[in-house]
Amino acid sequence: MNRKSRETWALYCRSYLLTVGLLMIAGSAFTIYLGMSGSIVLPWWGLVIVGALLLGGPVLIGIGLLGSHSRVDKWAGAASSHEASIILMIISFPAYLILKPFYKSR
């Protein structure tokens, strides 16, 4: 793989991690909102899972923005190992277009 392709792939992996992180934060926040309003009842272990997802979102965003190319590639590979992740890859394309001007090739 040539250098331009590696940089493009690394940037796309960054946008994928950002998208997954934002979805984790948004889904967790919405679940907590529903729990607080009384629409759903969460057992203690449900709150632990939602809390872990709420903390995991910023971790993915941080790695996506600040991580090295190799670390981002490993984390994106781990986060996209299921066939359903193709939908998230399509959703993350606008984030790729937003990040592209900030990560110009050298």
Side-chain angles (χ1 to χ4, degrees), residues 20-104:
V20 172
L22 285 173
L23 288 174
M24 287 172 64
I25 292 171
S28 301
F30 185 65
T31 304
I32 290 172
Y33 169 75
L34 289 177
M36 293 298 188
S37 68
S39 297
I40 60 173
V41 177
L42 289 174
W44 67 270
W45 53 268
L47 288 174
V48 170
I49 291 172
V50 170
L53 290 173
L54 189 61
L55 293 175
V59 169
L60 287 178
I61 291 171
I63 290 172
L65 289 176
L66 305 173
S68 65
H69 289 314
S70 61
R71 178 164 297 189
V72 168
D73 191 32
K74 288 177 188 174
W75 278 71
S80 64
S81 61
H82 195 271
E83 290 83 12
S85 65
I86 189 71
I87 295 167
L88 294 174
M89 289 180 181
I90 293 168
I91 292 172
S92 67
F93 187 70
Y96 168 77
L97 295 176
I98 291 171
L99 288 177
K100 193 173 180 180
F102 297 106
Y103 289 95
K104 289 279 187 189

